[in-house]
Amino acid sequence: MADIIGIRFREVGKVYYFDPDGEQLNRGDYAIVETSRGIECGEVAMANREIADEAISHPLKKMIRKATPEDLARVRDNKEREKKAFDICAAKIREHNLKMKLINVEYTFDNSKILFYFTADGRVDFRELVKDLAYVFRTRIELRQIGVRDEAKMLGGLGICGRPFCCKTFMGDFQPVSIKMAKEQGMSLNPVKISGTCGRLMCCLKYEQEAYTDLLKHTPKIGALVNTPDGKGTVIDQNLITGVLTVSLQKAPNAAPHTYNVSDVTLIKDGQIKVDKAEIEKLKKLEKN
């Protein structure tokens, strides 16, 4: 068995595992560890826990130390430096007339590197910008182009539901979301209604999909042929949540359709959920990260 701790470097960010090197840490503590970016200070998101050795895919790096008051003071100082670095970089971007939008700045704990995150429609030649920034800050400079989902996660905000962004409050990683999910959940394929503030498909489509997939197994789809207490008919509308079906009866095709509970009908031949190719092509951009 191996003793591990989970450390997060951003609010609601991914949790990485480290060897606590014999120390006991609680959730909410801070620790100094070595990462691919350099020496970092992160928050303990998972206290000491034992797991089987075979569950570890690669050797874990040992924690350097539990963060001291001096370490935490340095983190706060770096936060202030990041604000100044942001203003300086934004001014340099305007000076070089680059078509990019600066989103965030991060100092590594040991100040060995400064990371600048930006968005842009395409590739940007920022070589001269990097030279200018390196001259000003006298340390390693790294510019990272991110997508609009990452931008929303970093900046935060309110979604169309009126609540803070899911990605900012509890989602660690982004999951792929597709137009097919929106169609299966009975949503109108109107970009305004199925996309979030970031302009991409709403993340909630993904974590609600499992429930809808299960409901679709027991609910006749639109176009399905069913047997009702009043005879055979075709499903012309459905409500997956309430289990109510709207059926056009074969014996009275011109009459007003009837409504039935899914438990009151028997499926003869199920329908299919189809997404028009033109619709997919039109909304393809919404699926991108």
Side-chain angles (χ1 to χ4, degrees):
M1 301 293 284
D3 190 24
I4 67 168
I5 55 172
I7 293 181
R8 179 181 285 132
F9 300 101
R10 290 182 188 168
E11 184 183 3
V12 199
K14 184 177 179 180
V15 176
Y16 297 87
Y17 300 116
F18 291 87
D19 180 348
D21 198 23
E23 284 201 53
Q24 185 69 35
L25 288 94
N26 299 314
R27 188 173 179 178
D29 288 342
Y30 286 83
I32 307 300
V33 294
E34 183 183 355
T35 71
S36 58
R37 300 199 320 179
I39 305 300
E40 295 278 15
C41 179
E43 181 182 0
V44 177
M46 186 186 77
N48 295 61
R49 181 180 300 178
E50 285 194 343
I51 64 171
D53 292 327
E54 53 268 23
I56 302 175
S57 58
H58 56 274
L60 297 178
K61 289 188 176 182
K62 290 187 177 183
M63 177 186 74
I64 297 173
R65 65 178 178 274
K66 184 177 179 179
T68 64
E70 290 77 17
D71 291 330
L72 297 180
R74 185 170 191 173
V75 171
R76 290 192 294 271
D77 182 57
N78 283 347
K79 292 295 180 185
E80 292 302 315
R81 291 187 177 193
E82 288 168 0
K83 295 176 184 178
K84 295 177 182 177
F86 186 99
D87 293 337
I88 293 172
C89 183
K92 291 292 183 183
I93 290 173
R94 291 193 296 271
E95 185 181 316
H96 287 278
N97 196 27
L98 295 172
K99 294 182 179 180
M100 55 193 288
K101 178 185 175 184
L102 185 62
I103 302 301
N104 196 23
V105 179
E106 287 183 2
Y107 267 79
T108 56
F109 175 75
D110 58 0
N111 297 158
S112 62
K113 183 192 297 183
I114 311 176
L115 296 100
F116 296 87
Y117 298 91
F118 72 94
T119 57
D121 291 335
R123 296 189 64 175
V124 179
D125 185 356
F126 48 68
R127 288 174 293 182
E128 293 303 317
L129 174 63
V130 170
K131 290 178 183 178
D132 279 2
L133 294 174
Y135 178 79
V136 172
F137 297 107
R138 301 294 180 180
T139 189
R140 288 179 61 196
I141 301 296
E142 186 173 325
L143 270 73
R144 289 188 181 178
Q145 186 170 353
I146 60 174
V148 289
R149 287 185 188 271
D150 294 299
E151 177 186 1
K153 186 177 180 68
M154 284 185 174
L155 299 180
L158 296 177
I160 58 174
C161 58
R163 296 180 60 84
F165 293 162
C166 295
C167 57
K168 184 68 174 178
T169 52
F170 67 86
M171 286 179 60
D173 292 315
F174 290 110
Q175 298 295 322
V177 189
S178 67
I179 299 296
K180 185 172 181 287
M181 292 179 185
K183 192 76 170 180
E184 289 181 346
Q185 294 177 29
M187 299 189 71
S188 166
L189 297 188
N190 182 334
V192 176
K193 295 184 177 180
I194 60 177
S195 59
T197 308
C198 62
R200 298 295 183 262
L201 288 172
M202 294 185 294
C203 293
C204 52
L205 290 173
K206 174 62 178 181
Y207 55 74
E208 291 179 359
Q209 180 63 18
E210 188 176 338
Y212 278 96
T213 300
D214 184 63
L215 287 170
L216 282 167
K217 291 178 182 178
H218 310 97
T219 308
K221 301 177 183 67
I222 294 175
L225 180 64
V226 295
N227 200 12
T228 76
D230 301 310
K232 293 181 180 179
T234 302
V235 176
I236 60 174
D237 195 16
Q238 61 173 187
N239 188 314
L240 288 172
I241 304 298
T242 62
V244 173
L245 302 174
T246 303
V247 180
S248 175
L249 297 175
Q250 287 183 349
K251 64 181 182 181
N254 297 321
H258 291 227
T259 57
Y260 304 92
N261 189 281
V262 68
S263 60
D264 297 328
V265 305
T266 304
L267 179 66
I268 299 175
K269 183 180 180 181
D270 206 359
Q272 290 185 338
I273 296 177
K274 296 181 179 179
V275 184
D276 186 80
K277 288 184 178 180
E279 287 181 319
I280 294 178
E281 195 62 33
K282 183 180 178 181
L283 302 171
K284 200 170 184 180
K285 184 180 178 181
L286 298 181
E287 295 183 334
K288 296 180 180 178
N289 286 328

